[in-house]
Amino acid sequence: MTTATPTGGGAEPAPQTAGPGGARPLAGKVAFIAGASRGIGAAIAETLAGEGATVAVAARSAEPGRVAGTIHQVAERIASAGGHALAVPCDVTEEESIRAAVTTTVAEFGGIDILVANAGVLWLGPVESTPLKRWQLCLDVNLTGVFLVTREVIPHIRARGGGSLIAVTTTGVEMTDRGANAYWVSKAAVERLYLGLAADLRPDNIAVNCLSPSRVVLTEGWKAAGGGDIPAEMVEPPETMGRAAALLAAQDATGITGTIQRSESLLATR
Ligand SMILES: NC(=O)c1ccc[n+]([C@@H]2O[C@H](COP(=O)([O-])OP(=O)(O)OC[C@H]3O[C@@H](n4cnc5c(N)ncnc54)[C@H](OP(=O)(O)O)[C@@H]3O)[C@@H](O)[C@H]2O)c1
């Protein structure tokens, strides 16, 4: 685990935005992003940091592997753009790993205000040809992982007097006319989990929402899973999810809570 130090490398820095009077919307907030070593999670981490949040960049990849992206590279990109980030190794299927990552974040930054439960694996194969281990992996990462990380973070957000929980789901949940697969089933269960949690946590002033891309984001994970050619009009840049997550992250249960949001439609309301 390392605190990122400024470096000259990395991708284009996330813009540092300012609200009315120069205050950045997430200044003073701490965000824990599960599944932030690449793809949508990395984009969300960089956007939230650009809006002033201090960010825990959590995922398993501490060293470069088969798929590009590590927690240290993302934390270093944030630092080189002038933000604050900590790379925290975290496997969302392991209770002890989550506990250690959350404990480290709180020890380093003093608390947590925002969770983005983004870690996910993709398996779109038909039910008849789905091996049990693929089914189980989808449920372990996409559903149980969200349950475990959310359960660990709730007391810390409550201790701050409120905050925001965001789970990343998919429009596939609604596509029942296109059949069934382990991925869509796992995400549907997360939406039920979060809709119910919104009612449970309203008295604690914690907003609880689901957010998905409106269209396909061509991430490392999408490509590695063999995601086919997509017409340009069906593709959305990862930064759109970053901006939509920042909007939900900046508010509490006095604002939007108990909803399932799509990135582009949410941004269109602002
Ligand atoms: N791409 C899309 O169009 C799209 C559409 C709808 C919804 N989504 C959802 O958006 C989220 C991100 O997708 P993506 O396309 O950005 O995928 P990605 O590029 O494959 O990134 C997935 C992230 O999840 C992390 N992860 C996987 N297993 C983990 C585990 N056991 N513990 C901790 N972290 C884990 C990965 O980090 P490590 O491997 O380093 O652990 C990585 O940071 C997913 O929940 C996905 O279902 C994506």
Side-chain angles (χ1 to χ4, degrees):
M1 261 164 281
T2 60
T3 305
T5 49
T7 65
E12 194 69 23
Q16 307 278 315
T17 60
R24 287 185 290 157
L26 298 177
K29 307 269 188 197
V30 177
F32 187 97
I33 320 289
S37 55
R38 63 185 73 90
I40 291 170
I44 292 175
E46 290 177 66
T47 306
L48 267 56
E51 303 228 334
T54 298
V55 176
V57 177
R60 294 168 304 170
S61 302
E63 301 296 331
R66 187 179 56 84
V67 185
T70 73
I71 50 176
H72 299 290
Q73 289 165 350
V74 174
E76 281 162 16
R77 284 207 297 275
I78 290 171
S80 68
H84 299 289
L86 178 72
V88 280
C90 178
D91 184 335
V92 298
T93 66
E94 301 286 340
E95 279 182 285
E96 269 317 310
S97 173
I98 295 169
R99 198 162 294 143
V102 168
T103 300
T104 301
T105 302
V106 171
E108 190 76 21
F109 299 139
I112 297 175
D113 305 278
I114 298 154
L115 168 68
V116 183
N118 169 79
V121 293
L122 192 63
W123 178 266
L124 297 175
V127 167
E128 277 186 68
S129 56
T130 296
L132 176 58
K133 72 170 190 183
R134 288 287 172 188
W135 174 267
Q136 203 64 61
L137 183 66
C138 264
L139 294 180
D140 284 351
V141 177
N142 299 355
L143 173 59
T144 308
V146 174
F147 154 66
L148 288 174
V149 77
T150 302
R151 190 183 66 177
E152 194 65 30
V153 161
I154 286 171
H156 298 288
I157 301 190
R158 183 183 287 124
R160 305 278 260 198
S164 185
L165 301 174
I166 303 161
V168 176
T169 57
T170 175
T171 53
V173 170
E174 293 165 4
M175 298 175 184
T176 47
D177 59 332
R178 296 206 204 166
N181 57 62
Y183 177 71
W184 290 347
V185 168
S186 67
K187 296 288 187 180
V190 168
E191 292 190 350
R192 176 61 184 84
L193 172 68
Y194 262 46
L195 289 178
L197 257 186
D200 290 344
L201 298 178
R202 193 183 284 274
D204 296 304
N205 193 27
I206 301 175
V208 186
N209 293 287
C210 295
L211 175 67
S212 82
S214 294
R215 298 178 284 163
V216 175
V217 185
L218 298 179
T219 58
E220 294 85 341
W222 170 265
K223 291 175 205 154
D229 284 342
I230 300 286
E233 65 273 15
M234 285 176 63
V235 174
E236 161 179 328
E239 294 73 24
T240 304
M241 278 293 283
R243 288 189 291 122
L247 211 150
L248 292 176
Q251 43 110 64
D252 54 29
T254 60
I256 301 168
T257 190
T259 70
I260 295 166
Q261 300 285 342
R262 309 292 177 222
S263 55
E264 291 173 345
S265 355
L266 176 63
L267 292 171
T269 64
R270 302 292 139 159

